């Protein structure tokens, strides 16, 4: 029985003699003496073998042992400053937490999603087509045969010698795929990346995004197109936005128009964004040319429809007042971070 007291006293001397040299040593010390499987716990457990008349004395010895070990640990802990050594402390549940930094959407995606959301309220559904296209879908079926002057409007990246395979220059190619594969009524939105062989500058890039729309049914008129565009720009740019159709030419629509919106940055008073005209262009549109319907084996006497195409970069620049297109493609987090909470 005396052995139990002797053992405890030996341990006490040992604890006093211990000199942990660093945080790792201190952790060893903690595990050896204070830890849940440590020596002190064992010694406490031996209490049962101590006769009743000496239990008090043993208990006091145990407390001295425990306190000596803990004080030594606490004193050294601060000087070593190791988080591992500190882990024996209970956590401060009132301390503010660490927040996880989520990524945000790219500004192009934000605007694209908003555009899709607005048109989907009118019943448009999203469809996609390939970025590597053939001549038929990108040009010929859209009323632009090989020698047609309108092909000069777009400098194309051809990826086959015979010039039959290319990177699509516009999302209008997807219109053809949709009309070939589905029966009217069609109400389709086609967002996507397009490619043009252009010199990269603040206003032009060799790759950008378009949103194409197509509506084919019986008895569709230009008035439907106009109202759709009107609804879209007001939802997109604000309820006071005005709209203007300028006569234009596209090989796949007749009549064709370019759509301008009143400059919501300066309220049409004139600013660098609208080049002091009060209007900014957002895209092209028109009534689908009967030849295009025929190319897709749809009867132009039965069906008519409208189509539109807009650059997504353009609307994004207007909406967020960004003056250099190249920023969209550089993936600079300092730029992208600014859109984290944008809608
Ligand atoms: N594809 C044309 C372009 O890239 C834009 C366009 C104009 C699309 C008129 C259309 C449209 O659907 O009807 O410049």
């Amino acid at each position: 029985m005396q052995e139990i007291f002797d053992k405890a006293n030996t341990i006490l001397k040992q604890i006093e003699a211990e000199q942990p040299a660093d945080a790792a040593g201190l952790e060893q010390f903690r595990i050896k003496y204070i830890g849940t499987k440590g020596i002190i716990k064992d010694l406490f457990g031996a209490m049962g073998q101590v006769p009743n008349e000496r239990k008090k004395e043993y208990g006091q010895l145990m407390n001295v042992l425990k306190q000596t070990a803990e004080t030594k640990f606490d004193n050294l802990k601060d000087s070593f400053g190791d988080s591992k050594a500190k882990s024996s402390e209970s956590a401060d549940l009132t301390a503010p937490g660490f927040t996880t930094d989520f990524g945000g959407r790219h500004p192009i995606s934000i605007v694209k999603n908003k555009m899709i959301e607005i048109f989907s309220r009118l019943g448009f559904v999203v469809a996609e087509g390939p970025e590597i296209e053939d001549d038929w879908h990108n040009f010929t079926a859209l009323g632009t045969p090989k020698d047609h002057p309108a092909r000069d409007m777009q400098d194309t990246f051809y990826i086959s010698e015979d010039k039959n395979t290319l990177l699509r220059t516009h999302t209008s190619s997807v219109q053809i795929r949709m009309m070939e594969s589905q029966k009217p009524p069609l109400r389709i939105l086609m967002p996507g990346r397009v490619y043009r062989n252009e010199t990269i500058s603040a206003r032009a890039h060799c790759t950008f995004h378009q949103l194409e729309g197509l509506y084919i049914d019986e008895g569709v008129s230009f008035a439907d197109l106009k109202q759709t565009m009107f609804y879209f720009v007001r939802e997109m740019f604000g309820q006071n936005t005005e709209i203007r159709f300028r006569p234009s030419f596209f090989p796949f629509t007749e009549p064709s128009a370019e759509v301008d919106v009143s400059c919501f940055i300066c309220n049409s008073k004139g600013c660098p964004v609208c080049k002091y005209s009060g209007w900014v262009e957002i895209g092209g549109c028109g009534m689908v040319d009967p030849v295009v319907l025929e190319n897709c084996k749809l009867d132009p006497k039965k069906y008519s429809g409208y189509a539109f195409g807009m650059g997504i970069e353009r609307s994004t620049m207007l909406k967020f007042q960004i003056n250099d297109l190249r920023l969209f493609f550089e993936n600079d987090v300092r730029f992208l971070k600014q859109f984290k909470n944008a809608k």
Side-chain angles (χ1 to χ4, degrees):
M1 196 274 304
Q2 182 57 36
E3 293 149 29
I4 302 174
F5 277 81
D6 291 345
K7 191 174 172 197
N9 278 312
T10 316
I11 298 293
L12 180 59
K13 290 211 182 75
Q14 244 184 52
I15 291 172
E16 283 165 346
E18 287 272 10
Q19 295 291 350
D22 52 17
L26 183 61
E27 178 65 1
Q28 292 290 317
F29 173 88
R30 187 188 67 78
I31 293 167
K32 187 170 171 192
Y33 297 104
I34 317 173
T36 46
K37 291 180 184 150
I39 295 174
I40 298 179
K41 187 100 190 287
D42 269 347
L43 292 173
F44 264 104
M47 181 71 97
Q49 298 162 37
V50 180
N52 279 347
E53 65 276 16
R54 293 197 72 184
K55 272 203 167 40
K56 194 175 166 197
E57 187 192 338
Y58 189 73
Q60 281 166 353
L61 180 57
M62 284 300 99
N63 281 338
V64 173
L65 245 145
K66 194 167 174 246
Q67 262 167 28
T68 311
E70 285 181 349
T71 312
K72 182 159 216 160
F73 175 77
D74 283 344
N75 290 343
L76 289 170
K77 184 184 66 179
D78 290 341
S79 56
F80 293 144
D82 185 334
S83 59
K84 239 188 163 180
K86 282 187 183 132
S87 69
S88 64
E89 288 176 16
S90 57
D92 177 3
L93 300 178
T94 63
F98 297 104
T99 52
T100 309
D101 215 10
F102 289 112
R105 292 213 186 280
H106 192 284
I108 296 288
S109 297
I110 295 171
V111 169
K112 179 184 84 177
N113 291 345
K114 170 129 194 181
M115 288 171 151
I116 291 173
E117 197 259 316
I118 295 169
F119 281 113
S120 66
R121 285 184 230 151
L122 300 175
F124 283 83
V125 292
V126 173
E128 281 179 5
E131 291 180 18
I132 297 176
E133 260 302 359
D134 52 36
D135 177 276
W136 169 255
H137 292 96
N138 196 79
F139 289 127
T140 307
L142 285 160
T144 325
K146 286 222 153 59
D147 53 356
H148 194 289
R151 284 200 179 196
D152 293 341
M153 281 159 65
Q154 295 166 348
D155 280 347
T156 309
F157 285 117
Y158 290 99
I159 53 177
S160 68
E161 285 292 339
D162 63 3
K163 291 197 169 179
N164 190 43
T165 315
L166 47 94
L167 297 180
R168 68 178 178 198
T169 58
H170 52 185
T171 42
S172 303
S173 56
V174 192
Q175 282 188 33
I176 302 300
R177 291 188 175 272
M178 293 299 120
M179 287 189 276
E180 282 174 340
S181 62
Q182 296 178 33
K183 285 264 153 282
L186 300 178
R187 223 187 260 128
I188 310 179
L189 270 189
M190 296 148 279
R193 195 186 272 260
V194 302
Y195 302 85
R196 287 187 202 173
N197 193 359
E198 299 213 31
T199 310
I200 296 170
S201 73
R203 308 213 136 250
H205 210 287
C206 58
T207 174
F208 53 98
H209 299 78
Q210 287 187 331
L211 181 78
E212 190 87 13
L214 177 69
Y215 183 25
I216 307 279
D217 203 351
E218 293 178 32
V220 179
S221 74
F222 202 97
D224 298 318
L225 167 60
K226 192 174 165 191
Q227 192 55 37
T228 304
M229 284 296 142
F230 198 44
Y231 175 76
F232 167 72
V233 298
R234 294 207 155 180
E235 292 297 310
M236 186 74 199
F237 300 111
Q239 290 303 316
N240 296 327
T241 313
E242 292 298 332
I243 193 168
R244 176 173 90 170
F245 284 77
R246 260 182 304 115
S248 185
F249 171 79
F250 297 103
F252 38 89
T253 45
E254 180 60 36
S256 305
E258 256 153 317
V259 185
D260 294 343
V261 294
S262 54
C263 183
F264 48 85
I265 289 171
C266 64
N267 273 329
S268 297
K269 289 191 184 72
C271 71
V273 173
C274 63
K275 298 199 196 97
Y276 300 94
S277 71
W279 296 94
V280 282
E281 187 196 319
I282 58 157
C285 64
M287 300 307 290
V288 178
D289 195 304
V291 175
V292 174
L293 294 173
E294 269 169 12
N295 285 340
C296 301
K297 309 214 163 30
L298 295 177
D299 181 0
K301 290 196 191 72
K302 187 167 179 204
Y303 295 115
S304 58
Y306 62 74
F308 55 85
M310 317 185 233
I312 301 180
E313 276 77 1
R314 179 121 189 97
S315 289
T316 310
M317 289 168 91
L318 290 171
K319 197 166 170 58
F320 294 126
Q321 304 193 23
I322 299 164
N323 59 11
D324 193 329
L325 192 80
R326 289 168 292 197
L327 287 164
F328 292 133
F329 302 99
E330 283 166 359
N331 285 335
D332 185 333
V333 282
R334 291 169 301 181
F335 171 71
L336 297 175
K337 257 188 190 165
Q338 299 175 43
F339 302 93
K340 239 180 109 172
N341 300 314
K343 286 202 182 75

